[in-house]
């Protein structure tokens, strides 16, 4: 509701885009879509960044245009395709702060799809994390946990396993930092209290 009100409040800051600049942005977005379809995601993201550069050079400071929202949407879509879901959701949050009415519908659908994909990806990855933990394969555990944390930076389970695997690899700084983050994130009523107690004890011995 806050973002909806904010979007309404910011309508006065919308500025028209000159025809030449709009054509350049539309071209970059077309290239981005074609590269995304070809799974050339880095190239697609570069196309979006080129479009953002055109907007930055063409619009008054602090303003935005209707095309700006299209660029942000494309950026979120491509970041999601790269499994950079947290970054994609952050872009959509910014989109929502500027969008009104039907502009929000498309972004809502993308957000729901990203969250669905994230939940499925994390579920699959956590199965691999558990297998690595059971096998005592700390190298794989560290790699898998890091991969998961790129998708969801505040997942308590992944922070826990990353911290323990870092400790097993004798990286005491990372172990301390991530286990301390685990305690912050897992400070809830439904958290695993046994894990919290274990981590609290470990932290007293990690310098």
């Amino acid at each position: 509701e806050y973002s909806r009100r904010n979007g309404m409040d910011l309508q006065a800051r919308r500025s028209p885009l000159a025809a030449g600049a709009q054509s350049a942005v539309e071209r970059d977005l077309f290239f981005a879509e074609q590269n995304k379809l070809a799974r050339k995601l880095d190239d697609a993201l570069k196309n979006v960044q080129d479009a953002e550069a055109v907007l930055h050079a063409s619009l008054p400071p602090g303003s935005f245009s209707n095309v700006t929202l299209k660029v942000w949407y494309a950026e979120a879509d491509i970041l999601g395709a790269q499994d950079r879901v947290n970054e994609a959701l952050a872009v959509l949050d910014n989109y929502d702060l500027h969008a009104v009415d039907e502009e929000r519908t498309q972004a809502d659908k993308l957000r729901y799809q990203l969250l669905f994909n994230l939940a499925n990806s994390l579920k699959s990855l956590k199965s691999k994390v558990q297998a690595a933990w059971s096998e005592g394969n700390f190298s794989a555990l560290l790699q898998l946990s890091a991969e998961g944390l790129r998708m969801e930076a505040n997942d308590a389970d992944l922070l826990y396993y990353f911290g323990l695997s870092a400790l097993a690899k004798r990286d005491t700084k990372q172990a301390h930092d991530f286990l301390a983050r685990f305690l912050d994130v897992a400070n809830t009523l439904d958290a695993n209290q046994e894990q919290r107690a274990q981590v609290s004890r470990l932290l007293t011995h990690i310098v």
Side-chain angles (χ1 to χ4, degrees), residues 90-158:
V91 173
L92 285 181
D93 287 343
N94 189 45
Y95 179 107
D96 282 347
L97 287 171
H98 295 77
V100 294
D101 301 331
E102 67 277 0
E103 293 171 340
R104 304 174 67 89
T105 303
Q106 184 183 29
D108 285 343
K109 290 179 180 178
L110 177 57
R111 182 186 299 277
Y112 301 151
Q113 185 64 57
L114 289 171
L115 291 172
F116 177 81
N117 293 347
L118 176 61
N120 283 343
S121 296
L122 284 175
K123 182 178 179 180
S124 174
L125 186 137
K126 284 185 178 183
S127 296
K128 297 176 184 178
V129 166
Q130 289 289 345
W133 173 254
S134 299
E135 296 165 4
N137 187 343
F138 293 107
S139 293
L141 185 65
L142 191 69
Q143 181 178 350
L144 289 165
S145 299
E147 181 182 341
L149 288 169
R150 285 193 292 272
M151 291 188 282
E152 179 50 74
N154 290 319
D155 186 283
D157 292 333
L158 295 173

Side-chain angles (χ1 to χ4, degrees), residues 29-206:
L29 291 180
F30 177 80
F31 289 168
E33 180 62 20
Q34 296 308 303
N35 279 322
K36 177 175 176 285
L37 292 173
R39 301 301 297 171
K40 298 177 181 179
L41 299 179
D42 288 341
D43 290 340
L45 191 59
K46 176 64 167 57
N47 295 141
V48 171
Q49 291 166 347
D50 289 342
E52 289 177 328
V54 173
L55 291 172
H56 180 74
S58 305
L59 291 170
S63 67
F64 68 103
S65 77
N66 296 342
V67 183
T68 305
L69 295 175
K70 294 174 66 174
V71 172
W72 286 339
Y73 179 89
E75 181 179 8
D77 192 24
I78 293 165
L79 288 170
Q82 291 181 318
D83 291 327
R84 296 163 63 181
V85 178
N86 277 337
E87 294 173 70
L89 291 172
V91 173
L92 285 181
D93 287 343
N94 189 45
Y95 179 107
D96 282 347
L97 287 171
H98 295 77
V100 294
D101 301 331
E102 67 277 0
E103 293 171 340
R104 304 174 67 89
T105 303
Q106 184 183 29
D108 285 343
K109 290 179 180 178
L110 177 57
R111 182 186 299 277
Y112 301 151
Q113 185 64 57
L114 289 171
L115 291 172
F116 177 81
N117 293 347
L118 176 61
N120 283 343
S121 296
L122 284 175
K123 182 178 179 180
S124 174
L125 186 137
K126 284 185 178 183
S127 296
K128 297 176 184 178
V129 166
Q130 289 289 345
W133 173 254
S134 299
E135 296 165 4
N137 187 343
F138 293 107
S139 293
L141 185 65
L142 191 69
Q143 181 178 350
L144 289 165
S145 299
E147 181 182 341
L149 288 169
R150 285 193 292 272
M151 291 188 282
E152 179 50 74
N154 290 319
D155 186 283
D157 292 333
L158 295 173
L159 289 169
Y160 173 77
Y161 286 116
F162 187 95
L164 291 184
S165 55
L167 186 59
K169 303 287 284 185
R170 293 185 170 82
D171 188 338
T172 54
K173 184 180 186 310
Q174 276 203 325
H176 183 278
D177 291 348
F178 279 81
L179 291 175
R181 277 178 59 194
F182 162 78
L183 287 182
D184 288 339
V185 169
N187 189 21
T188 61
L189 292 176
D190 59 347
N192 187 319
Q193 298 305 317
E194 183 178 340
Q195 284 184 348
R196 282 183 53 80
Q198 176 198 20
V199 169
S200 294
R201 290 193 299 270
L202 283 172
L203 285 174
T204 62
H205 300 289
I206 300 175

